[in-house]
Every structure is written in structure tokens, then in C-alpha cells.
């Protein structure tokens, strides 16, 4: 299951008195995070659920097929991005970065990303933030 929202989410699995199981999920806004003015409404995010008898590979195949079937899904190859931050974190050694760039270029790399944009304040070392 996946609650399609960028915020907090809650998931549940319960067996009800009738003997069957119930699965669910929802967004879980923090106090004050979701304040509606008179006349406004809130639309809950979509809950995506999938099942497979072929393990995680089968589950992944079902979810990928679902995403790729959307009308807005790209039908042409997209640029390959090398996420340097996830690869090396704070170890920005030139030799290591050059080796990563060389390996990425061998498989069609076209853009690089090294950012802590999600961190506030910016993280300058592993112990920060």
C-alpha cells in the first residue's frame, strides 16, 4: 500500500469480528497543518494497493505497469541523472566523483544532481540538520 501524498501517512491492517481482514491508509496531517475555511473541502490522497503471488518482483512489476499505463507517462527515453549526493554524501573527493561520472557516461549519463535542497537549514556536514 502507498498513500499518494508528500506528508505523513498512516496504514492499518485489522481483522474485523466477521473474520476478514481490512487494509487501509490515509494522510495524517499534523495539528494545524490542515485548516479549512468555511466552504472549503479536503480531498484525501489516493491509496494505491497491489498484490502479487510472485513476491516483491511481481509486486514491483504490477506497480511499474500501473505507472507506465498512465496517459501522461513519457513515451520517449528520458535523460539519465546521476545523483551525486546520494552516491557520496559529504565525501566529495574529486577522484571518486570523476570515477562516478566516467561510469555514468558509459551508460548515457546526461545530467548531474548534488544537492541538499530538502534540508533546512543547509547541511554542511553529516552531523548537521
Amino acid at each position: 500500500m502507498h498513500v499518494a501524498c508528500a506528508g505523513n501517512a498512516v496504514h492499518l491492517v485489522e481483522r474485523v469480528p466477521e473474520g476478514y481482514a481490512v487494509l487501509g491508509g490515509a494522510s495524517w496531517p499534523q495539528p494545524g497543518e490542515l485548516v479549512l475555511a468555511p466552504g472549503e473541502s479536503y480531498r484525501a490522497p489516493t491509496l494505491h494497493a497491489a498484490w502479487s503471488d510472485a513476491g516483491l518482483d511481481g509486486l514491483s512489476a504490477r506497480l511499474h505497469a500501473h505507472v507506465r499505463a498512465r496517459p501522461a507517462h513519457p513515451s520517449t527515453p528520458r535523460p539519465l541523472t546521476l545523483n551525486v549526493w546520494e552516491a557520496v554524501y559529504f565525501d566529495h573527493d574529486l577522484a571518486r566523483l570523476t570515477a562516478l561520472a566516467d561510469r555514468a557516461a558509459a551508460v548515457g549519463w546526461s545530467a548531474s544532481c548534488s544537492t541538499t535542497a530538502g534540508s533546512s537549514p543547509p547541511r554542511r556536514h553529516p552531523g548537521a540538520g
Side-chain angles (χ1 to χ4, degrees):
M1 283 189 307
H2 169 70
V3 179
C5 71
N8 296 325
V10 62
H11 298 86
L12 66 93
V13 178
E14 294 184 11
R15 184 164 304 280
V16 296
E18 292 80 5
Y20 56 89
V22 175
L23 304 173
S27 62
W28 194 262
Q30 297 298 302
E33 185 178 7
L34 179 63
V35 179
L36 300 176
E40 288 185 323
S41 62
Y42 170 72
R43 182 174 179 195
T46 301
L47 176 69
H48 295 280
W51 173 88
S52 173
D53 61 356
L56 291 176
D57 287 344
L59 186 61
S60 178
R62 285 178 186 246
L63 292 171
H64 281 94
H66 170 73
V67 168
R68 291 178 179 139
R70 298 175 305 160
H73 190 77
S75 59
T76 58
R78 290 170 283 166
L80 176 64
T81 300
L82 172 62
N83 187 335
V84 176
W85 172 252
E86 296 296 331
V88 301
Y89 292 98
F90 290 98
D91 185 14
H92 289 185
D93 173 71
L94 182 58
R96 188 172 185 194
L97 293 171
T98 301
L100 280 170
D102 290 343
R103 291 184 72 182
V107 295
W109 166 59
S110 59
S112 178
C113 171
S114 180
T115 179
T116 59
S119 302
S120 179
R123 295 182 64 199
R124 306 268 188 246
H125 59 83

